Amino acid sequence: MSGVDEPTYGFLRNNALSLTFGGLFLITLGGQALSGVAQVNAEQEANGLGRVGLLDYATSSSFLVDVMENWQSEYLQFFLYVFATVWLVQKGSSESKEPGKEGTESDRDQQLGRHASAGSPGPVHAGGWLTAVFSRSLGLVMGALFLLTWAASAVTGWAAFNSERLGQRQDPVTLVGYLGEADFWNRSFQNWQSEMLAVGSLTIFAVYLRQRGSPESKPVGVAHADTGQTG
């Protein structure tokens, strides 16, 4: 590749998916901040108030609560999906194991114990609790990230909620009190329902629709009823 040395090109090629989405994440987060502060300043000017700086807005509870709500709903989606696909199947979907293979599968299937290879991760060879934790580490991390971002959305939502109440000359509520407010649960459910719709749609669409070359799709010529195959 002209202008790029081979090790760098190899790194970029081998990590293109994560690098691309990482870059898109930063671009869209920046776009959210820029459009958000523009909206706030339009409202400020309409009310005869001073403008808000980008940094002040990006560190405000009103911006952070929107970010945290989106993050926690995404991690909830992945947490539920990782664990649900252990036990639940959808015949014909590339997003599902084949019917009859529900459960944690055998050591042979999972390359554990005497079935581990030389290239298996270190925790697999360690055995005991380390292997047990590692074998569930993806779901555990997704669950932990969901809880952390949900807690962050609760705190930032509480701050934003009290800011509005003070602006209306109402007494602020405690954090525990905010957890019982309709505002908190409305914010949570409106994000969660969209994630459940997205996962359910992809699962069933993958039975009947194809995307050539994508591992999220079955091969184009595979029968609708074939399950668990990827293109």
Side-chain angles (χ1 to χ4, degrees), residues 203-222:
T203 299
I204 197 65
F205 288 164
V207 177
Y208 302 105
L209 306 178
R210 308 286 189 273
Q211 181 60 53
R212 184 170 181 169
S214 175
E216 298 302 312
S217 167
K218 294 185 291 188
V220 178
V222 166

Side-chain angles (χ1 to χ4, degrees), residues 68-96:
M68 288 298 106
E69 284 171 1
N70 287 323
W71 290 9
Q72 54 99 353
S73 64
E74 297 298 335
Y75 284 123
L76 175 64
Q77 172 196 144
F78 289 122
F79 166 66
L80 292 177
Y81 197 63
V82 165
F83 276 106
T85 51
V86 175
W87 302 101
L88 305 178
V89 298
Q90 175 61 56
K91 184 174 181 180
S93 179
S94 59
E95 300 295 311
S96 167

Side-chain angles (χ1 to χ4, degrees), residues 6 9 17 23 69 85 92 99 115-116 124 142 149 185 189 192:
E6 185 60 32
Y9 172 67
L17 191 59
E69 284 171 1
T85 51
H115 303 290
V124 173
M142 290 294 140
T149 51
W185 291 104
F189 283 124
W192 295 352

